[in-house]
Amino acid sequence: MNLLYEEGGDIKIAAVQSASGTGDAESWQATSLSGKKIKLKAKEVWLRFEKPEPQAVMDEATALSQNIDLQLLWDCAPDEEFGLVDVSHEYFGAQATIPQQVSLAIALQGAPVFFRRKGRGRFQRAPLEQLQAGLAALERKQKELEQQSAWQQELVAGTFPEVLKSSSQQLLFSPDKNTTAYKALLAACAETGESPAQLMIRCGAILSPLAYHQGMFLKAHFPNGAAHSQGIGVDQSAYAAAIADLPLADVKAFSIDDSGTTEIDDALSVTDLGEGVHRIGVHIAAPGLAITKDDSLDQVARTRMSTVYFPGDKITMLPDSVIEQFSLDAGASRPALSIYVDVDPEGVANRDSLQMRAEMVPMAANLRLENIEHLVSEDSLLDEGAAYPYRKELAILWKAAKHLHAGRQEKRVANGLRPEQLGLIDPNALARDFHFQIQDVNGVQRVEIEPRQRGSILDTIVAEWMIFCNSASGQLLADHGLPGLFRTQKGWGPLRTRMQTTPGPHEGLGLDYYAWCTSPLRRYSDLVNQWQLIALAKHGVTAKMVAPFPPRDATLMGIAADFESCYQTYGEYQDRLEKYWCLRWAIQDGESKNVHVRHLKEGMSRLELVPLHLPIPELASHPRMTRAEVVLEDIDLLQLSAAVRVLEIEAKVEVPEVSAAEDGSPD
């Protein structure tokens, strides 16, 4: 005997091997057509038959089920609940064969729109209204499948469907996986073996791998676009009121930046006090005087947290109109938060002379590194006839900077760290800074990457005095019990450097306190600290009563966590685009480049000419800084990868390395 039953939604037949019990308690040991041993109870069986053979029945029934008219079957079925045999007589007649009955079982089981399942082998036809709604849904589904197939064919052929072009970014970066468009895209990718990004670039929906990397970042972090809203800025009356009572500083301040810097938020001044004593001023742009906590500009800055830098462009934290209003551009007096300290004839700073005040600072000049860096040396600073601006002031700043650096190195050594080298680095060392210049040449973007060695005199002057300003600011906050965003580094490990709201040492810099405050136009942490410092400058010992963030403020703790996360994400994006442009540099002349690399650690090496890190397993067993000549092959601008073929491994040459400690510069 053979039994018809349902398992997992499928209709199956099994041949009986043995039986036990009677009536409703009857059960069978049987073997399915697949050879599986099963036990069936009477209530699980839809139909019993002796002949034909089970496999022949199933083959014929499967074929017959394809031609069953479900609408006619629904019309034939009674209103009340029915069984398989009952409806088979209505549809096929009283002499319905076993294969015909089994075909109806398959059809009924597979037609939930027409028939409700009421039990094993029992059904009831769906109400007319539900049937009509279900048929309409099936029709829509069929049209969607036809549309999906049409789009899939277009994508495979290299044409992006016109109707989908407006949603191409969403389709790639944040798709609704239930849509017909996304299903068509995945089906096309499965057919061609491409990734969605590769296929969309081939179809012209995404212009290039660069557009893919940029679009992915913007969709995740600037879903409404990177441009600032029109009309947002500092109200002119509020600005006038904020600076109305600021005194005019008796200084001639100057900034030192590269030519690409448009957010000039720090400057220096040197004032002769007589008898070889000079007063050094570190002047920081003060947008915190006009931007207040929780106002519209604060909300913009808090959302962005930082300016995003990447080769060829940047996304500013604050609108251009605000930057122009507060940037320390030459030719006018600008609102600033200034920290002053006196240095003796030997260049030693007297920290007891430390002063801080909000004021208007006359900006005399914006010095550009490209114009004067090559002129500034130990000898030229002492040469009265040296023909470059601010030679005397730079000489005083340099002398004091060397003392500041030496004091920090003593603490670094006490913390168990190696002292950092001061001054120019060996020109054979791996450069730390690179300038990416991207130009449009005959409609094609071309990149030039110029290395710049860190450690020049001007570098050191800026770095040491910004570190001093951050350190002094941190100390002032700590001494007055004001919370802030302190940058701390203690111990070892990848998370040893972090942002916190209470004071702590920065062992890498050799400082007891360190609070970023020198870049309020570019970093939200610095703007927050500036608000606290402005309260201190205006109110002194009562600052805790009026500061925007009181001690143990939960909002400030949240800002610290958000800033850390956001700053890291922006840094990763900058690294990603730098890697992209380094790979573009390697192939832009149309042929593979033979280049030299230096082995760093664990098989990871870096090109000498550009900041591109690549794994080279052949160098894993060689000493650090081993030099090798390689050729780059199979460069993938989407995956940001390249194969490296080693041509020659040279004997190890000792090469100076640059410390990885934070230098505290405004960049």
Side-chain angles (χ1 to χ4, degrees), residues 242-541:
I243 67 173
D245 297 329
L246 297 181
L248 181 65
D250 186 17
V251 300
K252 293 182 179 180
F254 58 94
S255 64
I256 305 173
D257 297 282
D258 61 50
S259 58
T261 301
T262 57
E263 302 152 285
I264 301 176
D265 41 21
D266 60 83
L268 298 164
S269 66
V270 179
T271 304
D272 190 346
L273 300 182
E275 298 182 358
V277 178
H278 294 87
R279 177 162 294 162
I280 308 298
V282 183
H283 311 284
I284 307 302
L289 289 168
I291 301 174
T292 59
K293 181 185 174 186
D294 296 329
D295 70 8
S296 59
L297 278 174
D298 174 38
Q299 292 172 17
V300 169
R302 188 179 302 189
T303 299
R304 299 195 172 204
M305 283 292 175
S306 170
T307 291
V308 187
Y309 293 97
F310 50 92
D313 205 354
K314 62 185 175 183
I315 301 172
T316 59
M317 180 180 76
L318 293 170
D320 289 343
S321 61
V322 178
I323 294 170
E324 292 168 2
Q325 205 163 23
F326 289 96
S327 178
L328 301 182
D329 296 336
S333 295
R334 298 284 183 162
L337 189 64
S338 301
I339 286 185
Y340 292 97
V341 67
D342 297 346
V343 297
D344 67 17
E346 301 302 317
V348 178
N350 176 12
R351 289 185 177 265
D352 291 337
S353 66
L354 194 68
Q355 302 177 46
M356 179 180 65
R357 54 179 175 261
E359 58 189 4
M360 298 296 292
V361 174
M363 286 299 304
N366 298 136
L367 304 183
R368 300 300 183 178
L369 289 168
E370 294 85 348
N371 298 332
I372 67 169
E373 187 171 39
H374 62 286
L375 301 174
V376 180
S377 64
E378 290 271 11
D379 292 336
S380 69
L381 287 173
L382 300 176
D383 182 1
E384 296 286 346
Y388 56 84
Y390 295 93
R391 179 203 60 81
K392 181 179 178 181
E393 289 83 353
L394 291 172
I396 295 166
L397 289 167
W398 169 239
K399 181 188 292 186
K402 289 189 286 187
H403 284 284
L404 293 174
H405 181 271
R408 292 195 303 105
Q409 301 321 300
E410 289 180 8
K411 288 194 174 183
R412 272 181 61 87
V413 172
N415 292 331
L417 303 174
R418 291 180 300 176
E420 296 173 322
Q421 185 178 354
L422 176 67
L424 273 174
I425 307 286
D426 188 309
N428 293 319
L430 286 177
R432 283 190 63 192
D433 280 356
F434 291 85
H435 177 60
F436 288 74
Q437 187 172 10
I438 299 163
Q439 298 176 326
D440 194 305
V441 180
N442 298 323
V444 178
Q445 287 183 311
R446 184 177 178 85
V447 60
E448 299 296 335
I449 305 174
E450 300 176 0
R452 177 178 176 272
Q453 206 70 53
R454 292 297 299 270
S456 70
I457 286 177
L458 290 183
D459 273 339
T460 304
I461 288 173
V462 173
E464 289 300 330
W465 282 106
M466 294 308 114
I467 290 172
F468 172 82
C469 183
N470 289 333
S471 174
S473 297
Q475 182 174 351
L476 286 169
L477 291 173
D479 289 348
H480 290 81
L482 279 174
L485 297 178
F486 295 87
R487 194 76 173 165
T488 66
Q489 187 183 94
K490 189 172 178 64
W492 302 99
L495 299 178
R496 69 184 187 277
T497 304
R498 67 192 190 98
M499 194 77 74
Q500 61 186 49
T501 61
T502 54
H506 194 300
E507 293 183 349
L509 290 173
L511 298 171
D512 294 328
Y513 307 104
Y514 191 62
W516 274 347
C517 67
T518 55
S519 298
L521 295 175
R522 300 187 265 183
R523 288 191 302 237
Y524 189 64
S525 59
D526 302 49
L527 179 60
V528 166
N529 284 337
Q530 186 170 93
W531 283 331
Q532 300 294 87
L533 291 167
I534 288 173
L536 182 58
K538 289 184 175 180
H539 301 280
V541 294

Side-chain angles (χ1 to χ4, degrees), residues 33 83 86 103 170 176 236 259 273 303 398 519 554 557:
L33 292 179
D86 303 327
S103 71
Q170 180 177 353
D176 179 349
Q236 291 304 310
S259 58
L273 300 182
T303 299
W398 169 239
S519 298
M557 296 177 188

Side-chain angles (χ1 to χ4, degrees), residues 188-205:
C189 289
E191 185 174 343
T192 63
E194 298 170 293
S195 69
Q198 288 172 326
L199 188 146
M200 291 179 73
I201 288 175
R202 179 168 63 84
C203 292

Side-chain angles (χ1 to χ4, degrees), residues 580-597:
Y580 169 85
W581 284 111
C582 286
L583 291 171
R584 275 285 300 271
W585 169 85
I587 60 173
Q588 66 184 358
D589 293 325
E591 58 183 22
S592 298
K593 279 186 171 71
N594 287 14
V595 294
H596 286 89
V597 302

